[in-house]
Coordinates of all heavy atoms in Angstrom, one line a residue:
M274 N -7.4 -9.3 -18.6 CA -7.3 -8.9 -17.3 C -6.7 -7.5 -17.2 O -5.7 -7.3 -17.9 CB -6.3 -9.8 -16.4 CG -6.2 -9.5 -15.0 SD -5.0 -10.7 -14.2 CE -6.0 -12.2 -14.2
K275 N -7.3 -6.7 -16.5 CA -6.7 -5.3 -16.4 C -5.3 -5.1 -15.7 O -5.1 -5.9 -14.8 CB -7.7 -4.4 -15.6 CG -9.0 -4.1 -16.4 CD -9.8 -3.0 -15.6 CE -11.2 -3.0 -16.3 NZ -12.2 -2.4 -15.3
K276 N -4.6 -4.2 -16.3 CA -3.2 -4.0 -15.6 C -3.1 -2.6 -15.3 O -3.4 -1.7 -16.1 CB -2.2 -4.4 -16.7 CG -0.7 -4.4 -16.2 CD 0.2 -4.9 -17.3 CE 1.4 -3.9 -17.4 NZ 2.2 -4.4 -18.5
Y277 N -2.6 -2.4 -14.0 CA -2.5 -1.0 -13.5 C -0.9 -0.7 -13.4 O -0.2 -1.7 -13.2 CB -3.2 -0.9 -12.2 CG -4.6 -1.3 -12.3 CD1 -5.1 -2.2 -11.4 CD2 -5.5 -0.7 -13.2 CE1 -6.5 -2.6 -11.4 CE2 -6.8 -1.1 -13.3 CZ -7.3 -2.1 -12.3 OH -8.6 -2.4 -12.3
I278 N -0.7 0.6 -13.3 CA 0.7 1.0 -13.2 C 0.9 1.5 -11.8 O 0.2 2.5 -11.4 CB 1.1 2.0 -14.2 CG1 1.0 1.4 -15.7 CG2 2.5 2.4 -14.0 CD1 1.8 0.3 -15.9
I279 N 1.8 0.9 -10.9 CA 2.0 1.5 -9.6 C 3.3 2.4 -9.7 O 4.4 1.8 -10.0 CB 2.2 0.4 -8.6 CG1 1.1 -0.6 -8.7 CG2 2.5 0.9 -7.2 CD1 -0.3 -0.1 -8.4
T280 N 3.2 3.7 -9.3 CA 4.4 4.4 -9.2 C 4.8 4.6 -7.7 O 3.8 5.0 -6.9 CB 4.1 5.8 -9.8 OG1 3.8 5.6 -11.2 CG2 5.3 6.7 -9.8
V281 N 6.0 4.4 -7.3 CA 6.5 4.6 -5.9 C 7.4 5.9 -5.9 O 8.3 5.9 -6.6 CB 7.3 3.3 -5.4 CG1 7.7 3.6 -4.0 CG2 6.4 2.1 -5.6
L282 N 6.9 6.9 -5.1 CA 7.6 8.1 -5.1 C 9.1 7.7 -4.6 O 9.4 6.9 -3.7 CB 7.1 9.0 -4.1 CG 5.6 9.5 -4.4 CD1 5.1 10.4 -3.2 CD2 5.7 10.2 -5.8
G283 N 10.0 8.4 -5.2 CA 11.4 8.2 -5.0 C 12.1 7.1 -5.7 O 13.3 6.8 -5.5
Q284 N 11.3 6.4 -6.5 CA 11.8 5.3 -7.3 C 12.0 5.7 -8.8 O 11.1 6.5 -9.2 CB 11.0 4.1 -7.2 CG 10.8 3.5 -5.8 CD 11.6 2.3 -5.5 OE1 11.4 1.3 -6.2 NE2 12.5 2.3 -4.6
D285 N 12.9 5.1 -9.4 CA 12.9 5.5 -10.9 C 12.3 4.4 -11.8 O 12.8 4.2 -12.9 CB 14.4 5.8 -11.4 CG 15.3 4.6 -11.0 OD1 14.9 3.6 -10.5 OD2 16.5 4.7 -11.2
R286 N 11.4 3.7 -11.2 CA 10.7 2.7 -12.0 C 9.3 2.5 -11.5 O 9.0 3.1 -10.4 CB 11.4 1.3 -11.8 CG 11.5 0.8 -10.4 CD 11.9 -0.7 -10.3 NE 10.8 -1.5 -10.8 CZ 10.8 -2.8 -10.8 NH1 11.8 -3.5 -10.2 NH2 9.8 -3.4 -11.3
T287 N 8.5 1.8 -12.3 CA 7.1 1.7 -12.0 C 6.9 0.1 -11.8 O 7.8 -0.7 -12.2 CB 6.2 2.1 -13.0 OG1 6.4 1.5 -14.3 CG2 6.2 3.6 -13.1
Y288 N 5.7 -0.3 -11.2 CA 5.5 -1.8 -11.1 C 4.1 -2.0 -11.7 O 3.2 -1.3 -11.5 CB 5.5 -2.0 -9.7 CG 6.8 -1.8 -8.9 CD1 7.0 -0.6 -8.4 CD2 7.7 -2.7 -8.8 CE1 8.2 -0.3 -7.8 CE2 8.9 -2.5 -8.2 CZ 9.1 -1.2 -7.7 OH 10.4 -0.9 -7.1
P289 N 3.9 -3.2 -12.4 CA 2.7 -3.6 -12.9 C 1.9 -4.2 -11.8 O 2.5 -4.9 -10.9 CB 3.0 -4.6 -14.0 CG 4.3 -5.1 -13.6 CD 5.0 -4.1 -12.9
C290 N 0.5 -4.0 -11.8 CA -0.3 -4.7 -10.9 C -1.6 -5.1 -11.6 O -2.2 -4.3 -12.3 CB -0.7 -3.8 -9.8 SG -1.7 -4.6 -8.5
Y291 N -1.9 -6.3 -11.6 CA -3.1 -7.0 -12.3 C -4.3 -6.9 -11.4 O -4.2 -6.9 -10.1 CB -2.8 -8.3 -12.7 CG -1.7 -8.3 -13.8 CD1 -0.4 -8.5 -13.4 CD2 -2.0 -8.1 -15.1 CE1 0.7 -8.6 -14.3 CE2 -1.0 -8.1 -16.0 CZ 0.3 -8.3 -15.6 OH 1.3 -8.3 -16.6
E292 N -5.4 -6.7 -12.0 CA -6.7 -6.6 -11.3 C -6.8 -7.8 -10.3 O -6.5 -9.0 -10.7 CB -7.9 -6.7 -12.4 CG -9.2 -6.5 -11.8 CD -10.2 -6.5 -13.0 OE1 -9.9 -7.1 -14.1 OE2 -11.3 -5.9 -12.7
G293 N -7.2 -7.4 -9.1 CA -7.3 -8.5 -8.1 C -6.0 -8.9 -7.3 O -6.1 -9.6 -6.4
Q294 N -4.9 -8.3 -7.7 CA -3.7 -8.5 -7.1 C -3.6 -7.5 -6.0 O -3.9 -6.4 -6.1 CB -2.6 -8.4 -8.1 CG -1.2 -8.9 -7.7 CD -0.1 -8.8 -8.8 OE1 -0.2 -8.1 -9.7 NE2 1.0 -9.6 -8.6
R295 N -2.9 -7.9 -4.9 CA -2.6 -6.9 -3.8 C -1.5 -6.2 -4.1 O -0.5 -6.7 -4.8 CB -2.3 -7.7 -2.5 CG -3.6 -8.4 -2.1 CD -3.2 -9.3 -0.9 NE -4.4 -10.2 -0.6 CZ -4.5 -10.9 0.5 NH1 -3.5 -10.9 1.4 NH2 -5.4 -11.8 0.7
L296 N -1.4 -4.8 -3.7 CA -0.4 -4.0 -3.9 C 1.0 -4.5 -3.6 O 2.0 -4.4 -4.3 CB -0.7 -2.6 -3.3 CG 0.4 -1.5 -3.3 CD1 0.7 -1.1 -4.8 CD2 0.0 -0.3 -2.5
L297 N 1.2 -5.0 -2.3 CA 2.4 -5.5 -1.8 C 3.0 -6.6 -2.7 O 4.0 -6.7 -3.1 CB 2.2 -6.0 -0.4 CG 3.6 -6.5 0.2 CD1 4.6 -5.5 0.3 CD2 3.3 -7.1 1.6
H298 N 2.1 -7.6 -3.1 CA 2.4 -8.7 -3.9 C 2.8 -8.2 -5.3 O 3.8 -8.9 -5.9 CB 1.2 -9.7 -4.0 CG 0.8 -10.3 -2.7 ND1 -0.2 -11.2 -2.6 CD2 1.3 -10.1 -1.5 CE1 -0.3 -11.4 -1.3 NE2 0.6 -10.8 -0.6
A299 N 2.2 -7.3 -5.8 CA 2.6 -6.8 -7.2 C 3.9 -6.2 -7.1 O 4.8 -6.5 -8.0 CB 1.7 -5.6 -7.7
I300 N 4.3 -5.4 -6.1 CA 5.7 -4.8 -6.0 C 6.8 -5.9 -5.8 O 7.7 -6.0 -6.5 CB 5.7 -3.7 -5.0 CG1 4.8 -2.5 -5.5 CG2 7.1 -3.2 -4.7 CD1 4.6 -1.4 -4.6
E301 N 6.4 -6.7 -4.8 CA 7.3 -7.9 -4.5 C 7.6 -8.8 -5.7 O 8.7 -9.2 -6.0 CB 6.8 -8.7 -3.5 CG 7.1 -8.5 -2.1 CD 6.8 -9.7 -1.2 OE1 5.4 -10.0 -1.0 OE2 7.6 -10.3 -0.6
G302 N 6.4 -9.1 -6.4 CA 6.5 -10.0 -7.5 C 7.4 -9.5 -8.7 O 7.8 -10.2 -9.4
A303 N 7.5 -8.0 -8.7 CA 8.3 -7.4 -9.8 C 9.6 -7.2 -9.3 O 10.4 -6.4 -9.9 CB 7.5 -6.1 -10.2
G304 N 10.0 -7.7 -8.1 CA 11.4 -7.5 -7.6 C 11.6 -6.4 -6.8 O 12.8 -6.0 -6.5
G305 N 10.5 -5.6 -6.4 CA 10.7 -4.3 -5.6 C 10.9 -4.7 -4.2 O 10.3 -5.6 -3.6
D306 N 11.8 -3.9 -3.5 CA 11.9 -4.1 -2.1 C 11.9 -2.8 -1.3 O 12.4 -2.6 -0.3 CB 13.3 -4.7 -1.8 CG 14.5 -3.8 -2.3 OD1 14.1 -2.8 -2.9 OD2 15.7 -4.2 -2.1
C307 N 11.0 -1.8 -1.9 CA 10.8 -0.6 -1.3 C 9.9 -0.5 -0.2 O 9.6 0.4 0.6 CB 10.3 0.4 -2.4 SG 9.0 -0.1 -3.4
I308 N 9.1 -1.6 0.0 CA 8.1 -1.7 1.1 C 8.5 -2.9 1.9 O 8.8 -4.0 1.4 CB 6.6 -1.9 0.4 CG1 6.2 -0.8 -0.4 CG2 5.6 -2.1 1.6 CD1 4.9 -0.9 -1.0
R309 N 8.4 -2.7 3.3 CA 8.8 -3.7 4.3 C 7.7 -4.8 4.3 O 6.5 -4.4 4.1 CB 9.0 -3.1 5.5 CG 10.2 -2.3 5.7 CD 10.3 -1.5 7.1 NE 10.3 -2.5 8.1 CZ 10.0 -2.2 9.4 NH1 9.5 -1.0 9.8 NH2 10.1 -3.1 10.4
V310 N 8.2 -6.0 4.4 CA 7.2 -7.1 4.4 C 7.3 -7.9 5.6 O 8.2 -8.2 6.2 CB 7.6 -8.1 3.3 CG1 6.6 -9.3 3.3 CG2 7.6 -7.4 1.9
G311 N 6.1 -8.1 6.1 CA 6.0 -8.9 7.4 C 5.0 -10.0 7.3 O 5.2 -10.9 6.5
C312 N 3.8 -10.0 8.0 CA 2.9 -11.0 8.1 C 2.2 -11.3 6.7 O 1.7 -12.4 6.4 CB 1.9 -10.7 9.2 SG 0.8 -9.3 8.8
R313 N 2.0 -10.3 6.0 CA 1.3 -10.4 4.6 C -0.3 -10.6 5.0 O -1.0 -11.0 4.0 CB 1.7 -11.4 3.8 CG 3.1 -11.2 3.1 CD 3.3 -12.3 2.1 NE 4.7 -12.0 1.4 CZ 5.9 -12.4 1.9 NH1 5.9 -13.2 3.1 NH2 6.9 -12.2 1.2
E314 N -0.7 -10.4 6.1 CA -2.1 -10.7 6.5 C -2.8 -9.4 7.1 O -3.9 -9.6 7.8 CB -2.1 -11.8 7.4 CG -1.6 -13.2 6.8 CD -2.5 -13.6 5.8 OE1 -3.7 -13.3 5.7 OE2 -2.1 -14.4 5.0
G315 N -2.2 -8.3 7.1 CA -2.9 -7.1 7.6 C -2.8 -7.0 9.1 O -3.5 -6.2 9.7
G316 N -1.9 -7.7 9.7 CA -1.8 -7.7 11.1 C -0.5 -7.0 11.8 O -0.6 -6.5 12.9
C317 N 0.6 -6.8 11.1 CA 1.7 -6.4 11.8 C 2.1 -4.9 11.5 O 2.8 -4.2 12.2 CB 2.9 -7.3 11.3 SG 3.6 -6.9 9.6
G318 N 1.5 -4.4 10.4 CA 1.7 -2.9 10.1 C 2.9 -2.6 9.4 O 3.1 -1.4 9.1
V319 N 3.8 -3.3 9.2 CA 5.2 -2.9 8.6 C 5.1 -2.6 7.1 O 6.0 -1.8 6.6 CB 6.3 -4.0 8.8 CG1 6.6 -4.3 10.2 CG2 6.1 -5.2 7.9
C320 N 4.1 -2.9 6.5 CA 3.9 -2.7 5.0 C 3.2 -1.5 4.7 O 2.7 -1.2 3.6 CB 3.3 -3.9 4.3 SG 1.6 -4.1 4.8
R321 N 3.1 -0.6 5.7 CA 2.3 0.7 5.6 C 2.8 1.6 4.5 O 4.0 1.8 4.4 CB 2.3 1.4 6.9 CG 1.2 2.3 7.1 CD 1.1 2.6 8.6 NE 2.4 2.9 9.2 CZ 2.4 3.4 10.4 NH1 1.3 3.8 11.1 NH2 3.6 3.7 11.0
V322 N 1.8 2.1 3.7 CA 2.1 3.0 2.7 C 1.2 4.1 2.7 O 0.1 4.0 3.2 CB 2.2 2.5 1.2 CG1 3.3 1.3 1.1 CG2 0.9 2.0 0.7
K323 N 1.5 5.3 2.1 CA 0.5 6.4 1.8 C 0.2 6.4 0.4 O 1.1 6.5 -0.5 CB 1.0 7.7 2.3 CG 0.0 8.8 2.0 CD 0.3 10.1 2.7 CE -0.7 11.1 2.3 NZ -0.9 12.1 3.3
I324 N -1.0 6.3 0.2 CA -1.5 6.4 -1.3 C -1.8 7.9 -1.7 O -2.7 8.5 -1.0 CB -2.7 5.6 -1.6 CG1 -2.3 4.1 -1.3 CG2 -3.2 5.7 -3.1 CD1 -3.2 3.0 -1.6
H325 N -1.1 8.4 -2.6 CA -1.2 9.8 -3.0 C -2.3 10.0 -4.1 O -2.9 11.1 -4.1 CB 0.1 10.3 -3.6 CG 1.1 10.6 -2.4 ND1 1.3 11.7 -1.9 CD2 1.9 9.7 -1.8 CE1 2.2 11.7 -1.0 NE2 2.7 10.5 -0.9
S326 N -2.5 9.0 -5.0 CA -3.5 9.2 -6.0 C -3.9 7.9 -6.4 O -3.1 6.8 -6.5 CB -3.1 10.2 -7.2 OG -1.9 9.6 -7.8
G327 N -5.1 7.7 -7.0 CA -5.6 6.5 -7.6 C -6.7 5.9 -6.8 O -6.9 6.1 -5.6
E328 N -7.4 4.9 -7.5 CA -8.5 4.2 -6.9 C -8.1 2.9 -6.3 O -7.2 2.2 -6.9 CB -9.6 4.0 -8.0 CG -10.2 5.2 -8.6 CD -11.1 6.0 -7.7 OE1 -11.8 5.2 -7.0 OE2 -11.1 7.1 -7.5
Y329 N -8.6 2.6 -5.3 CA -8.2 1.3 -4.6 C -9.4 0.8 -3.5 O -10.1 1.7 -3.1 CB -6.9 1.3 -3.9 CG -6.8 2.4 -2.8 CD1 -7.0 2.0 -1.4 CD2 -6.6 3.8 -3.1 CE1 -7.1 3.0 -0.5 CE2 -6.6 4.7 -2.1 CZ -6.8 4.3 -0.7 OH -6.8 5.2 0.3
E330 N -9.3 -0.4 -3.3 CA -10.1 -1.0 -2.2 C -9.2 -1.6 -1.2 O -8.1 -2.1 -1.5 CB -11.2 -2.0 -2.7 CG -12.2 -1.5 -3.7 CD -13.1 -2.5 -4.2 OE1 -12.9 -3.7 -4.0 OE2 -14.1 -2.1 -4.9
T331 N -9.7 -1.7 0.1 CA -8.8 -2.3 1.1 C -9.6 -3.5 1.7 O -10.9 -3.5 1.9 CB -8.5 -1.4 2.2 OG1 -9.6 -0.8 2.8 CG2 -7.6 -0.3 1.6
G332 N -8.9 -4.6 2.2 CA -9.5 -5.7 2.9 C -9.4 -5.2 4.4 O -9.0 -4.1 4.7
I333 N -9.6 -6.2 5.3 CA -9.5 -5.8 6.7 C -8.0 -5.5 7.1 O -7.1 -6.2 6.7 CB -9.9 -7.1 7.6 CG1 -11.5 -7.3 7.3 CG2 -9.7 -6.9 9.0 CD1 -11.9 -8.6 7.8
M334 N -7.9 -4.3 7.9 CA -6.6 -3.9 8.2 C -6.7 -3.7 9.8 O -7.6 -3.2 10.3 CB -6.3 -2.6 7.7 CG -6.1 -2.6 6.1 SD -5.4 -1.1 5.3 CE -6.8 0.0 5.6
S335 N -5.6 -4.0 10.4 CA -5.6 -3.9 12.0 C -5.7 -2.5 12.2 O -5.0 -1.6 11.9 CB -4.2 -4.5 12.5 OG -4.0 -4.0 13.8
K336 N -6.7 -2.2 13.1 CA -7.0 -0.8 13.6 C -5.8 -0.4 14.5 O -5.6 0.9 14.6 CB -8.3 -0.8 14.4 CG -9.5 -0.9 13.4 CD -10.7 -0.5 14.4 CE -11.9 -0.2 13.3 NZ -12.5 -1.5 12.9
A337 N -5.0 -1.2 15.0 CA -3.9 -0.9 15.9 C -2.8 -0.2 14.9 O -2.0 0.6 15.3 CB -3.3 -2.0 16.5
H338 N -2.8 -0.5 13.7 CA -1.8 -0.1 12.7 C -2.4 1.0 11.8 O -1.5 1.9 11.3 CB -1.2 -1.1 12.0 CG -0.5 -2.1 12.8 ND1 0.5 -1.8 13.6 CD2 -0.8 -3.4 13.1 CE1 0.9 -2.9 14.3 NE2 0.1 -3.9 14.0
I339 N -3.6 1.1 11.5 CA -4.2 2.0 10.7 C -5.5 2.6 11.3 O -6.5 1.8 11.3 CB -4.5 1.5 9.3 CG1 -3.2 1.1 8.5 CG2 -5.2 2.7 8.5 CD1 -2.4 2.1 8.1
G340 N -5.5 3.8 11.9 CA -6.7 4.3 12.5 C -7.6 4.9 11.5 O -7.2 5.1 10.2
E341 N -8.8 5.3 11.9 CA -9.7 5.9 10.9 C -9.2 7.2 10.3 O -9.3 7.4 9.1 CB -11.0 6.2 11.5 CG -12.0 5.0 11.9 CD -12.2 4.3 10.6 OE1 -12.5 4.8 9.5 OE2 -12.1 3.0 10.6
E342 N -8.6 8.0 11.1 CA -8.1 9.2 10.5 C -6.9 9.0 9.6 O -6.9 9.7 8.5 CB -7.5 10.1 11.7 CG -8.4 11.1 12.2 CD -9.2 12.0 11.2 OE1 -8.5 12.6 10.4 OE2 -10.5 11.9 11.2
E343 N -6.1 8.0 9.8 CA -5.0 7.7 8.9 C -5.6 7.2 7.5 O -5.0 7.5 6.6 CB -4.0 6.7 9.6 CG -3.3 7.3 10.7 CD -2.4 6.3 11.3 OE1 -2.8 5.1 11.6 OE2 -1.3 6.6 11.6
K344 N -6.6 6.3 7.7 CA -7.2 5.9 6.6 C -7.7 6.9 5.6 O -7.5 6.9 4.4 CB -8.4 5.0 7.0 CG -8.6 3.7 6.2 CD -9.6 2.8 7.0 CE -10.4 1.9 6.0 NZ -11.3 1.1 6.8
K345 N -8.3 7.9 6.2 CA -8.8 9.1 5.6 C -7.7 9.8 4.7 O -7.9 10.4 3.7 CB -9.6 10.0 6.4 CG -11.0 9.6 6.8 CD -11.7 10.6 7.6 CE -12.8 9.9 8.3 NZ -13.1 10.8 9.7
Q346 N -6.6 9.8 5.3 CA -5.3 10.5 4.7 C -4.6 9.6 3.7 O -3.6 10.0 3.1 CB -4.3 10.8 5.8 CG -4.9 11.8 6.8 CD -4.0 11.9 8.0 OE1 -2.8 11.5 8.0 NE2 -4.4 12.4 9.2
G347 N -5.2 8.4 3.5 CA -4.6 7.5 2.4 C -3.6 6.5 2.9 O -3.0 5.9 2.1
L348 N -3.4 6.5 4.4 CA -2.5 5.5 4.8 C -3.2 4.1 4.9 O -4.4 3.9 5.3 CB -2.1 5.8 6.2 CG -1.1 6.9 6.3 CD1 -1.0 7.6 7.5 CD2 0.3 6.3 6.0
V349 N -2.5 3.1 4.3 CA -3.0 1.8 4.3 C -1.9 0.8 4.5 O -0.8 1.0 4.5 CB -3.6 1.5 2.8 CG1 -4.8 2.4 2.6 CG2 -2.6 1.8 1.7
L350 N -2.4 -0.5 4.6 CA -1.4 -1.7 4.8 C -1.4 -2.3 3.3 O -2.4 -2.7 2.8 CB -1.9 -2.6 5.8 CG -1.9 -2.1 7.2 CD1 -2.5 -3.1 8.2 CD2 -0.6 -1.5 7.7
S351 N -0.3 -2.1 2.7 CA -0.2 -2.6 1.3 C -0.5 -4.0 1.0 O -0.9 -4.3 -0.1 CB 1.2 -2.2 0.7 OG 2.1 -2.9 1.4
C352 N -0.3 -4.8 1.9 CA -0.7 -6.3 1.8 C -2.3 -6.4 1.8 O -2.8 -7.5 1.5 CB -0.2 -7.1 2.9 SG -0.8 -6.8 4.6
R353 N -3.0 -5.3 2.1 CA -4.5 -5.4 2.1 C -5.2 -4.4 1.1 O -6.3 -4.2 1.1 CB -5.0 -5.0 3.5 CG -4.8 -6.0 4.5 CD -5.5 -7.3 4.1 NE -5.7 -8.2 5.1 CZ -5.7 -9.6 4.9 NH1 -5.4 -10.0 3.7 NH2 -5.9 -10.4 5.8
V354 N -4.3 -3.9 0.1 CA -4.7 -3.0 -0.9 C -5.0 -3.7 -2.3 O -4.0 -4.4 -2.7 CB -3.8 -1.8 -1.0 CG1 -4.2 -1.0 -2.2 CG2 -3.9 -1.0 0.3
Y355 N -6.1 -3.5 -2.8 CA -6.4 -4.0 -4.2 C -6.5 -2.7 -5.1 O -7.5 -2.0 -5.0 CB -7.7 -4.8 -4.2 CG -7.7 -6.0 -3.4 CD1 -8.0 -6.0 -2.1 CD2 -7.1 -7.2 -3.8 CE1 -7.9 -7.1 -1.2 CE2 -7.0 -8.3 -3.0 CZ -7.5 -8.2 -1.7 OH -7.4 -9.3 -0.9
P356 N -5.5 -2.4 -5.9 CA -5.6 -1.3 -6.8 C -6.8 -1.4 -7.8 O -7.1 -2.5 -8.2 CB -4.3 -1.3 -7.6 CG -3.3 -1.9 -6.6 CD -4.2 -3.0 -5.9
K357 N -7.6 -0.4 -8.0 CA -8.6 -0.3 -9.1 C -8.1 0.6 -10.2 O -9.1 1.0 -11.0 CB -9.8 0.0 -8.4 CG -10.4 -0.9 -7.3 CD -10.8 -2.1 -7.9 CE -11.2 -3.2 -6.8 NZ -11.4 -4.5 -7.5
G358 N -7.0 1.1 -10.2 CA -6.5 1.9 -11.3 C -5.1 2.1 -11.0 O -4.4 1.7 -10.0
D359 N -4.4 3.1 -11.8 CA -3.0 3.4 -11.6 C -2.9 4.1 -10.3 O -3.8 4.9 -9.9 CB -2.5 4.3 -12.7 CG -2.5 3.7 -14.0 OD1 -2.7 2.4 -14.0 OD2 -2.4 4.4 -15.1
L360 N -1.9 3.8 -9.5 CA -1.6 4.4 -8.2 C -0.3 5.1 -8.1 O 0.7 4.6 -8.7 CB -1.6 3.4 -7.1 CG -3.1 2.5 -6.8 CD1 -2.7 1.7 -5.6 CD2 -4.2 3.5 -6.5
T361 N -0.2 6.1 -7.2 CA 1.1 6.7 -6.8 C 1.1 6.4 -5.4 O 0.2 7.0 -4.7 CB 1.2 8.1 -7.2 OG1 1.1 8.4 -8.7 CG2 2.5 8.7 -6.8
V362 N 2.1 5.8 -4.9 CA 2.3 5.5 -3.4 C 3.6 6.0 -2.8 O 4.6 6.2 -3.5 CB 2.1 4.1 -3.1 CG1 0.8 3.6 -3.8 CG2 3.2 3.2 -3.6
E363 N 3.7 6.0 -1.5 CA 4.8 6.4 -0.8 C 5.0 5.5 0.4 O 4.2 5.3 1.2 CB 4.7 7.9 -0.2 CG 5.8 8.3 0.6 CD 5.6 9.7 1.3 OE1 4.4 10.2 1.1 OE2 6.6 10.1 1.9
P364 N 6.2 4.7 0.4 CA 6.4 3.9 1.6 C 6.4 4.7 2.8 O 7.0 5.8 2.8 CB 7.8 3.3 1.4 CG 8.0 3.3 -0.1 CD 7.3 4.8 -0.5
A365 N 5.7 4.3 3.9 CA 5.5 5.0 5.1 C 5.7 4.2 6.4 O 4.8 4.0 7.1 CB 4.2 5.8 5.2
P366 N 6.9 3.6 6.6 CA 7.1 2.8 7.8 C 6.7 3.4 9.1 O 6.2 2.9 10.0 CB 8.6 2.4 7.7 CG 9.2 3.3 6.8 CD 8.1 3.8 5.9
K367 N 7.1 4.7 9.2 CA 6.6 5.4 10.4 C 6.2 6.9 9.9 O 6.9 7.7 9.8 CB 7.8 5.6 11.3 CG 8.3 4.3 12.2 CD 9.2 4.7 13.2 CE 9.5 3.4 13.9 NZ 9.1 3.3 15.2
Y368 N 4.8 6.9 9.8 CA 4.4 8.1 9.1 C 4.4 9.2 10.1 O 4.1 9.0 11.4 CB 3.0 7.9 8.4 CG 2.9 8.9 7.3 CD1 3.6 8.6 6.2 CD2 2.1 10.0 7.4 CE1 3.5 9.5 5.1 CE2 2.1 10.9 6.4 CZ 2.8 10.7 5.3 OH 2.8 11.5 4.2
K369 N 4.6 10.5 9.7 CA 4.9 11.6 10.6 C 3.9 11.9 11.8 O 4.3 11.9 12.8 CB 4.9 12.9 9.8 CG 6.0 12.9 8.7 CD 5.8 14.2 7.8 CE 6.5 14.1 6.6 NZ 5.7 13.8 5.4
N370 N 2.7 11.8 11.6 CA 1.7 12.2 12.5 C 1.3 11.1 13.4 O 0.5 11.2 14.3 CB 0.4 12.7 11.8 CG 0.8 14.0 11.1 OD1 1.7 14.8 11.5 ND2 0.2 14.1 10.0
R371 N 1.9 9.9 13.3 CA 1.5 8.7 13.9 C 2.1 8.8 15.4 O 3.2 9.0 15.6 CB 2.0 7.5 13.2 CG 1.4 6.3 13.8 CD 1.6 5.1 12.9 NE 1.2 3.9 13.7 CZ -0.1 3.5 13.8 NH1 -1.1 4.2 13.2 NH2 -0.5 2.4 14.4
Q372 N 1.1 8.4 16.3 CA 1.7 8.2 17.7 C 2.0 6.7 17.9 O 1.2 5.9 17.7 CB 0.4 8.6 18.7 CG -0.1 9.9 18.5 CD 0.8 11.0 18.9 OE1 1.4 10.9 19.9 NE2 0.8 12.1 18.0
E373 N 3.2 6.6 18.3 CA 3.6 5.1 18.6 C 4.3 4.9 20.0 O 4.7 5.9 20.6 CB 4.6 4.6 17.5 CG 3.9 4.6 16.2 CD 4.6 3.9 15.1 OE1 5.7 4.2 14.8 OE2 4.0 2.9 14.5
Ligands
FES614 S1 2.8 -7.3 6.0 FE1 2.0 -7.3 7.9 S2 0.4 -5.8 7.8 FE2 1.2 -6.0 5.8

């Protein structure tokens, strides 16, 4: 099984993520608490992160929490992200350009 390395900006450690594992679960499973956890189902929006680099796929994410423009900027709901390579991410509970 492939193993990827997740780097969280501002943290002095990395997190392993196995192929098919969701980003949020990988960080939580390794004891990380740098991302807020809510529904774990792509509906509440609290687990939002910005992906700075790396390949990934996403499952269904609530459009109320991640718009098309945000998605293009790398904003995602971490409970719906499947890394496909090493990633560098930034927790983004309230990202700057977002209207709320
Ligand atoms: S935890 Fe609710 S959207 Fe990810």
Side-chain angles (χ1 to χ4, degrees):
M274 187 181 291
K275 287 185 190 163
K276 182 174 135 185
Y277 308 124
I278 303 297
I279 309 300
T280 301
V281 180
L282 294 182
Q284 299 257 300
D285 58 0
R286 58 167 292 189
T287 59
Y288 301 89
C290 182
Y291 294 92
E292 189 173 24
Q294 193 176 21
R295 297 176 190 185
L296 176 59
L297 180 63
H298 296 178
I300 291 176
E301 264 194 302
D306 60 358
C307 52
I308 297 176
R309 289 173 62 201
V310 180
C312 66
R313 295 189 174 86
E314 297 294 337
C317 73
V319 303
C320 67
R321 206 159 43 164
V322 300
K323 176 166 178 149
I324 299 192
H325 284 262
S326 65
E328 297 286 318
Y329 60 94
E330 288 178 358
T331 59
I333 295 171
M334 300 188 288
S335 165
K336 287 193 169 74
H338 299 296
I339 300 289
E341 281 307 313
E342 268 311 305
E343 290 179 314
K344 216 165 149 182
K345 285 182 199 158
Q346 294 166 21
L348 279 160
V349 292
L350 299 176
S351 59
C352 67
R353 286 299 196 219
V354 170
Y355 298 89
K357 296 291 171 191
D359 295 348
L360 295 185
T361 300
V362 309
E363 175 188 7
K367 286 194 183 250
Y368 212 72
K369 298 175 198 108
N370 300 327
R371 188 168 173 79
Q372 305 293 316
E373 296 196 303

